[in-house]
Amino acid sequence: MSTPTTDPSLRSRLDPTGWSLSSKLVAAVVGLFLVITVSTSTFTVLSLRDHLVDQMDQDVTSLLARAGGPRGSGPGGGGGGGPIPGGGGESLLVVLRDGEVVANRVEYDRTSGELTAAQLTSLRGDDLGASPRTVEIEGLGEYRVAAARDADGDRVVVAGLPMSGISRILDAVLGLVVSTTIVGLALVTLGGQWLIRRGLQPLHRVAQTATQVSRLRLDSGDVALAQRVPVADTDPRTEVGQVGLALNNLLDNVEGALRSRHESETRVRQFVADASHELRTPLASIRGYAELSRRETDPVPPTVAHALTRVESESLRMQGLVEDLLLLARLDAGRPLDREPVDLTLLAMDVVSDAHAASSSHRFELDLPDEPVEVTGDRARLHQVVANLLANARTHTPAGTRVVTSLRREEQWVRLSVVDDGPGVPEELQENVFDRFTRGDESRNRAQGSTGLGLSIVAAVATSHGGRVELTSSPGRTEFSVLLPA
């Protein structure tokens, strides 16, 4: 037997935990209205029924007293002929002597007649007494019936009144209650939605302000948080006003913190730029004096010659580091780059050719399309991007590694990729691999010195060109990609 399945979307819509606040409030108001209305209506109908039954019991008792009075007058005296004493409406009267019916009469639907034997059987019960009881009479319905002996004591008089009148009244009241409940439910639902939505509009405005702020780029640059909750929604006397006021205070604190951070970053960048610029001259002097000393014809001790060689090599390394820092500082400051058509196909061929000359132990290959691929940008900076990616692959992979440089178009982008089959970038390093001064661990052993700025320059140049960088790496395949606007 197959088990019926429930539509997940329907189940999610019926789950109150996923409802909006306005829906929950409307549902709560409607539910409370239904509980109160049903409770009061039930109490009213039951109280009305009890009241009507009490009145009918009094009428039954009065009818019974008139029919079996102390003088013994009644329908039994005449053998059952004539109208019922105090009649004039729907009622029944039965007179029993020694358990035998000596007279019976019933008035029903403006007609009068006698009860049938089956109907009389319902009135012979031992549970009938002076207190009226409800009896179901075949063909007539429910009656409130009471019994008592007459004044002579030799006869039992049974009198009753139909409950159809009470039923009609209760049906009319129930119909009125149901109709008014339905109308009230519709009015409460529509009116509640309108009132709740109007009452929650300030909260929606607060949420819109928070949403606008959440969409701002706050990670870098001079961030100005102009968005604020309107003054009308910051009244501390209301709950929504307290939330709006707290959000404005939070935005003020965040804006102050971002301003302080930006000023600090600006000072650091200016310091790096100034320091890099100032260091270029003394480093060039050190390098020049080291080269000049090595060209002296007078013999120098081997240790001095070795020291001069080390001074020259380290000055070259420091000069490269200073140039990289100066470039990053300029890119951070938003210095405009050259904008000219650049043939990336020819540029990749030149850089790969240089990489072959720099490291013959690696296998550098090209995967280029048949047609030239051009972008608009700074040729020198894009040359540095490709050179840094190849230098990164050469530095952090063992000899014999295959490094493939490829170009391809992807809709509005041009993808420049450098793929190697080396050991891969450690997983814990991949998230921060484009950060400054990030260096690989023993999983990507360095064959040469690294400043940790090469990939950060790649990312900064790509961003300055309106592009981005990507990395996918696993043991045996690492791909660094630069996407530039086509």
Side-chain angles (χ1 to χ4, degrees), residues 113-194:
E114 293 185 349
L115 297 171
T116 64
Q119 293 171 341
L120 289 171
T121 303
S122 304
L123 302 175
R124 294 177 183 270
D126 296 335
D127 54 349
L128 292 179
S131 298
R133 301 178 63 86
T134 302
V135 177
E136 179 74 26
I137 300 177
E138 181 182 354
L140 298 179
E142 291 185 338
Y143 273 69
R144 292 291 288 180
V145 180
R149 289 189 177 274
D150 63 0
D152 298 334
D154 59 346
R155 292 178 301 175
V156 175
V157 180
V158 179
L161 294 174
M163 297 186 66
S164 57
I166 295 179
S167 298
R168 286 193 296 270
I169 295 175
L170 293 179
D171 290 343
V173 172
L174 282 175
L176 180 62
V177 167
V178 171
S179 59
T180 53
T181 300
I182 293 175
V183 173
L185 181 62
L187 293 177
V188 168
T189 302
L190 297 176
Q193 286 181 341
W194 182 78

Side-chain angles (χ1 to χ4, degrees), residues 216-225 253-270:
L216 297 176
R217 290 291 304 272
L218 305 178
D219 54 343
S220 62
D222 186 9
V223 180
L225 298 179
N253 292 335
V254 171
E255 186 176 29
L258 292 176
R259 186 180 298 109
S260 299
R261 184 206 64 184
H262 177 67
E263 293 174 355
S264 177
E265 289 180 350
T266 301
R267 288 193 296 269
V268 171
R269 289 169 182 165
Q270 188 62 42

Side-chain angles (χ1 to χ4, degrees), residues 56-103:
M56 178 169 285
D57 289 347
Q58 294 176 9
D59 293 340
V60 171
T61 303
S62 176
L63 177 61
L64 185 63
R66 292 196 304 270
R71 296 186 300 273
S73 62
I84 296 175
E90 296 182 348
S91 60
L92 65 83
L93 199 63
V94 178
V95 179
L96 303 173
R97 177 179 289 141
D98 297 330
E100 297 295 329
V101 178
V102 297

